[in-house]
Amino acid sequence: MNSPLTLGQQIDTQIAANGPMSIATYMGLCLTHPTKGYYKGPDPLGAKGDFITAPEISQMFGELIGFWLVNIWQQMDEPKSFNLLELGPGRGTLMADILRVACRAPGFRDALKLKLFETNPVLTGQQRSRLEVYDPKWLENFENFDEGPILIIANEFFDALPIRQFVRKPDGWHERQVGLADGKRVFGLSPTPIPPEALPDAVASAELDTVYEVSFAAGEVMSVLSKLVARQGGAILAIDYGYAETRTGETLQGVRNHAYADVLENPGETDLSAHVDFGALIGAARLAGIATQPVVTQGDFLLQLGIGERAGALSRANPGSAEDIRIARDRLVNEDQMGTLFKVFCAHSPGLIPPGFAS
Ligand SMILES: C[S@@+](CC[C@H](N)C(=O)[O-])C[C@H]1O[C@@H](n2cnc3c(N)ncnc32)[C@H](O)[C@@H]1O
């Protein structure tokens, strides 16, 4: 039943009854509470929303990933049936740009079984209208794939999965929690430290008050998908803001109307995200027995795939838009824009050589 209480009131009631909750529980409620979660509400993307993503900046982003996919499909000897899964497809823009390019490869369209994994009903509607010609199926879980390899794309999906935070104190690492003080939501720490062996070696000797973040949800998703790729063949391409190796540091952030916002205020109306620990995702993929590439920056990846040439061709075809195309290209690859902050991760069947990762 749809409660008349705001999500904030529901969270406060839960804390008052059960005590403080972990950051992961809080983040999960804020983002995907069945009726009042941030990702159950209106379209969050674009100028009128809270943030903008690479595919919404330029068609070049998806087109280059389309070439990337065709290359991988050809390396796999052009299977007559394969699954293409996108995690968190947003407005469907990225997949529409990908498939406009990729379906020009003879045989690709006929072999394609398109799968989408999405939690937001409004965005699902937009995906349906943009992608229905490709006959997509929306997955509730990662089961029931068609025969053949599985190719997986995720842009800014993993950063939206809940994280836990631990803080180093003299007696060990304590979990950071959300509690109540004088009726207001506040951060606090669990009274008892966690067993030190629960932490990776990379953080064990950190200084006092250091914060360590871990997303068990992201690790679990990567583990399940990697096992599928190990069984059926294929590749996973994930692009997100994050760091290449597991490390300490606090990155949980709130964003509202294109500006940073307090994480504890307006639950369900603020986007919450954290930088992705690609080192942990590499570990999950390797444990499942598939190969991984060293993480590269989005700028290097797109430049290697030929964004310079694609921008040139688009500008020649649309001279009146040449300046906009240059600005979009710079935004995607320049170091002081998205080029360095965003990283590209790839895990794949052994033997494949994914383009864009040459050192
Ligand atoms: C930041 S948006 C990125 C959208 C799109 N990939 C893009 O680049 O424009 C995150 C996407 O993941 C979806 N999402 C977030 N959490 C999810 C979850 N737990 N399960 C499924 N989809 C989720 C959102 O609804 C949205 O489509």
Short mmCIF file of all heavy atoms in Angstrom, two decimals, residues 32 39 45 51 53-56 86-91 94 117-120 123 127 155-157 159-161, ligand 1:
data_model
loop_
_atom_site.label_atom_id
_atom_site.label_comp_id
_atom_site.label_asym_id
_atom_site.label_seq_id
_atom_site.Cartn_x
_atom_site.Cartn_y
_atom_site.Cartn_z
N THR A 32 15.71 2.95 -4.41
CA THR A 32 14.79 1.98 -5.03
C THR A 32 13.64 1.55 -4.11
O THR A 32 13.08 0.47 -4.30
CB THR A 32 15.56 0.74 -5.56
OG1 THR A 32 16.37 0.23 -4.50
CG2 THR A 32 16.41 1.08 -6.75
N TYR A 39 14.86 6.29 -8.01
CA TYR A 39 14.78 5.66 -9.32
C TYR A 39 13.41 5.03 -9.60
O TYR A 39 13.28 4.20 -10.49
CB TYR A 39 15.91 4.63 -9.49
CG TYR A 39 17.20 5.29 -9.90
CD1 TYR A 39 18.33 5.22 -9.11
CD2 TYR A 39 17.28 6.02 -11.08
CE1 TYR A 39 19.51 5.85 -9.49
CE2 TYR A 39 18.45 6.66 -11.46
CZ TYR A 39 19.55 6.56 -10.67
OH TYR A 39 20.72 7.19 -11.05
N LEU A 45 17.17 12.42 -15.82
CA LEU A 45 18.25 12.83 -16.73
C LEU A 45 17.94 14.15 -17.43
O LEU A 45 16.78 14.54 -17.56
CB LEU A 45 18.46 11.75 -17.79
CG LEU A 45 19.11 10.46 -17.28
CD1 LEU A 45 18.49 9.26 -17.93
CD2 LEU A 45 20.60 10.49 -17.53
N PHE A 51 21.00 15.32 -13.56
CA PHE A 51 22.34 15.12 -14.12
C PHE A 51 22.25 14.75 -15.58
O PHE A 51 21.16 14.43 -16.09
CB PHE A 51 23.09 14.02 -13.34
CG PHE A 51 22.33 12.72 -13.27
CD1 PHE A 51 22.37 11.80 -14.31
CD2 PHE A 51 21.55 12.42 -12.16
CE1 PHE A 51 21.66 10.61 -14.25
CE2 PHE A 51 20.83 11.22 -12.09
CZ PHE A 51 20.89 10.32 -13.14
N THR A 53 24.32 12.38 -18.75
CA THR A 53 25.26 11.28 -18.92
C THR A 53 25.86 11.32 -20.33
O THR A 53 25.33 11.99 -21.22
CB THR A 53 24.54 9.94 -18.72
OG1 THR A 53 23.46 9.88 -19.64
CG2 THR A 53 24.03 9.77 -17.30
N ALA A 54 26.93 10.55 -20.52
CA ALA A 54 27.67 10.58 -21.80
C ALA A 54 26.78 10.35 -23.02
O ALA A 54 26.87 11.11 -24.00
CB ALA A 54 28.81 9.56 -21.75
N PRO A 55 25.89 9.34 -23.02
CA PRO A 55 25.09 9.15 -24.24
C PRO A 55 24.15 10.32 -24.52
O PRO A 55 23.77 10.54 -25.68
CB PRO A 55 24.27 7.87 -23.96
CG PRO A 55 24.54 7.47 -22.58
CD PRO A 55 25.67 8.26 -22.04
N GLU A 56 23.78 11.06 -23.45
CA GLU A 56 22.90 12.21 -23.65
C GLU A 56 23.69 13.43 -24.12
O GLU A 56 23.12 14.41 -24.59
CB GLU A 56 22.14 12.55 -22.35
CG GLU A 56 21.29 11.41 -21.80
CD GLU A 56 20.16 10.98 -22.72
OE1 GLU A 56 19.72 11.81 -23.54
OE2 GLU A 56 19.76 9.80 -22.66
N GLU A 86 21.71 -4.58 -21.55
CA GLU A 86 22.15 -3.31 -20.98
C GLU A 86 21.60 -3.18 -19.56
O GLU A 86 20.41 -3.39 -19.31
CB GLU A 86 21.71 -2.10 -21.83
CG GLU A 86 22.31 -0.83 -21.22
CD GLU A 86 22.07 0.46 -21.99
OE1 GLU A 86 21.45 0.42 -23.08
OE2 GLU A 86 22.50 1.51 -21.48
N LEU A 87 22.48 -2.78 -18.64
CA LEU A 87 22.08 -2.54 -17.25
C LEU A 87 21.80 -1.06 -17.09
O LEU A 87 22.63 -0.22 -17.44
CB LEU A 87 23.23 -2.93 -16.30
CG LEU A 87 23.85 -4.31 -16.48
CD1 LEU A 87 25.07 -4.48 -15.56
CD2 LEU A 87 22.83 -5.40 -16.19
N GLY A 88 20.62 -0.71 -16.57
CA GLY A 88 20.29 0.70 -16.35
C GLY A 88 20.33 1.51 -17.63
O GLY A 88 21.14 2.44 -17.75
N PRO A 89 19.45 1.20 -18.61
CA PRO A 89 19.57 1.84 -19.93
C PRO A 89 19.06 3.28 -20.01
O PRO A 89 19.04 3.84 -21.11
CB PRO A 89 18.71 0.93 -20.84
CG PRO A 89 18.33 -0.26 -20.02
CD PRO A 89 18.42 0.15 -18.59
N GLY A 90 18.63 3.88 -18.90
CA GLY A 90 18.21 5.29 -18.93
C GLY A 90 17.10 5.51 -19.92
O GLY A 90 16.10 4.79 -19.94
N ARG A 91 17.28 6.49 -20.79
CA ARG A 91 16.24 6.80 -21.78
C ARG A 91 16.30 5.89 -23.01
O ARG A 91 15.55 6.10 -23.97
CB ARG A 91 16.42 8.24 -22.25
CG ARG A 91 16.14 9.25 -21.17
CD ARG A 91 16.53 10.62 -21.66
NE ARG A 91 15.99 11.65 -20.79
CZ ARG A 91 16.24 12.94 -20.93
NH1 ARG A 91 17.03 13.35 -21.91
NH2 ARG A 91 15.72 13.81 -20.11
N LEU A 94 21.59 5.34 -25.36
CA LEU A 94 22.85 4.64 -25.64
C LEU A 94 22.58 3.42 -26.53
O LEU A 94 23.25 3.23 -27.56
CB LEU A 94 23.50 4.21 -24.31
CG LEU A 94 24.72 3.32 -24.41
CD1 LEU A 94 25.82 3.96 -25.24
CD2 LEU A 94 25.25 2.98 -23.01
N PHE A 117 17.75 -4.27 -18.31
CA PHE A 117 17.54 -4.42 -16.86
C PHE A 117 17.34 -3.03 -16.28
O PHE A 117 18.27 -2.22 -16.28
CB PHE A 117 18.78 -5.11 -16.24
CG PHE A 117 18.63 -5.39 -14.78
CD1 PHE A 117 17.77 -6.37 -14.34
CD2 PHE A 117 19.35 -4.67 -13.84
CE1 PHE A 117 17.63 -6.64 -12.98
CE2 PHE A 117 19.23 -4.93 -12.48
CZ PHE A 117 18.36 -5.92 -12.06
N GLU A 118 16.13 -2.73 -15.85
CA GLU A 118 15.77 -1.36 -15.47
C GLU A 118 14.79 -1.38 -14.32
O GLU A 118 13.88 -2.21 -14.29
CB GLU A 118 15.16 -0.64 -16.69
CG GLU A 118 14.64 0.74 -16.40
CD GLU A 118 15.71 1.67 -15.84
OE1 GLU A 118 16.67 1.98 -16.55
OE2 GLU A 118 15.58 2.07 -14.66
N THR A 119 14.95 -0.43 -13.39
CA THR A 119 14.04 -0.39 -12.24
C THR A 119 13.00 0.70 -12.35
O THR A 119 11.98 0.68 -11.68
CB THR A 119 14.88 -0.19 -10.94
OG1 THR A 119 14.06 -0.44 -9.82
CG2 THR A 119 15.47 1.20 -10.82
N ASN A 120 13.22 1.69 -13.22
CA ASN A 120 12.38 2.89 -13.26
C ASN A 120 11.27 2.76 -14.32
O ASN A 120 11.57 2.65 -15.51
CB ASN A 120 13.28 4.10 -13.57
CG ASN A 120 12.50 5.40 -13.53
OD1 ASN A 120 11.43 5.51 -14.11
ND2 ASN A 120 13.05 6.37 -12.85
N LEU A 123 11.44 5.45 -17.16
CA LEU A 123 12.52 5.20 -18.12
C LEU A 123 12.22 3.96 -18.97
O LEU A 123 12.53 3.92 -20.16
CB LEU A 123 13.86 5.06 -17.40
CG LEU A 123 14.36 6.34 -16.72
CD1 LEU A 123 15.64 6.09 -15.94
CD2 LEU A 123 14.58 7.46 -17.73
N GLN A 127 12.44 3.65 -22.94
CA GLN A 127 13.22 2.60 -23.62
C GLN A 127 12.32 1.86 -24.62
O GLN A 127 12.73 1.57 -25.75
CB GLN A 127 13.78 1.61 -22.59
CG GLN A 127 14.83 2.21 -21.69
CD GLN A 127 14.96 1.49 -20.35
OE1 GLN A 127 14.58 0.34 -20.20
NE2 GLN A 127 15.50 2.20 -19.36
N ASN A 155 26.48 1.79 -18.53
CA ASN A 155 27.04 3.13 -18.35
C ASN A 155 26.36 3.78 -17.15
O ASN A 155 25.14 3.93 -17.13
CB ASN A 155 26.80 3.99 -19.60
CG ASN A 155 27.51 5.34 -19.48
OD1 ASN A 155 28.74 5.37 -19.37
ND2 ASN A 155 26.77 6.43 -19.46
N GLU A 156 27.16 4.16 -16.16
CA GLU A 156 26.66 4.78 -14.93
C GLU A 156 25.55 3.94 -14.29
O GLU A 156 24.51 4.46 -13.91
CB GLU A 156 26.17 6.21 -15.20
CG GLU A 156 27.31 7.15 -15.50
CD GLU A 156 26.98 8.59 -15.16
OE1 GLU A 156 26.43 8.82 -14.07
OE2 GLU A 156 27.26 9.46 -15.99
N PHE A 157 25.77 2.66 -14.19
CA PHE A 157 24.85 1.77 -13.47
C PHE A 157 25.45 1.39 -12.11
O PHE A 157 24.81 1.51 -11.08
CB PHE A 157 24.57 0.51 -14.29
CG PHE A 157 23.85 -0.57 -13.52
CD1 PHE A 157 22.49 -0.48 -13.28
CD2 PHE A 157 24.54 -1.68 -13.03
CE1 PHE A 157 21.83 -1.46 -12.55
CE2 PHE A 157 23.88 -2.66 -12.31
CZ PHE A 157 22.53 -2.56 -12.07
N ASP A 159 27.51 2.79 -10.15
CA ASP A 159 27.64 3.84 -9.13
C ASP A 159 26.33 4.03 -8.36
O ASP A 159 26.30 4.67 -7.31
CB ASP A 159 28.07 5.17 -9.76
CG ASP A 159 27.03 5.74 -10.69
OD1 ASP A 159 25.98 6.19 -10.20
OD2 ASP A 159 27.24 5.73 -11.92
N ALA A 160 25.22 3.49 -8.90
CA ALA A 160 23.92 3.67 -8.25
C ALA A 160 23.60 2.52 -7.30
O ALA A 160 22.52 2.49 -6.72
CB ALA A 160 22.82 3.78 -9.31
N LEU A 161 24.51 1.58 -7.14
CA LEU A 161 24.24 0.45 -6.25
C LEU A 161 24.74 0.80 -4.84
O LEU A 161 25.75 1.48 -4.67
CB LEU A 161 24.93 -0.82 -6.77
CG LEU A 161 24.45 -1.25 -8.17
CD1 LEU A 161 25.12 -2.54 -8.61
CD2 LEU A 161 22.93 -1.41 -8.21
C1 LIG B 1 22.66 7.28 -13.88
S1 LIG B 1 21.40 6.50 -14.79
C2 LIG B 1 22.28 6.06 -16.28
C3 LIG B 1 21.36 5.87 -17.43
C4 LIG B 1 22.02 5.48 -18.76
N1 LIG B 1 22.86 4.31 -18.64
C5 LIG B 1 22.81 6.61 -19.31
O1 LIG B 1 24.03 6.52 -19.39
O2 LIG B 1 22.20 7.61 -19.68
C6 LIG B 1 21.24 4.94 -13.93
C7 LIG B 1 20.34 3.95 -14.61
O3 LIG B 1 20.30 2.74 -13.86
C8 LIG B 1 18.96 2.45 -13.47
N2 LIG B 1 19.04 1.80 -12.14
C9 LIG B 1 19.52 2.34 -11.00
N3 LIG B 1 19.48 1.44 -10.00
C10 LIG B 1 18.99 0.31 -10.54
C11 LIG B 1 18.72 -0.98 -10.01
N4 LIG B 1 18.96 -1.28 -8.73
N5 LIG B 1 18.23 -1.92 -10.84
C12 LIG B 1 18.00 -1.64 -12.15
N6 LIG B 1 18.23 -0.43 -12.71
C13 LIG B 1 18.72 0.53 -11.91
C14 LIG B 1 18.28 3.80 -13.47
O4 LIG B 1 16.89 3.79 -13.48
C15 LIG B 1 18.89 4.40 -14.73
O5 LIG B 1 18.32 3.86 -15.89
#
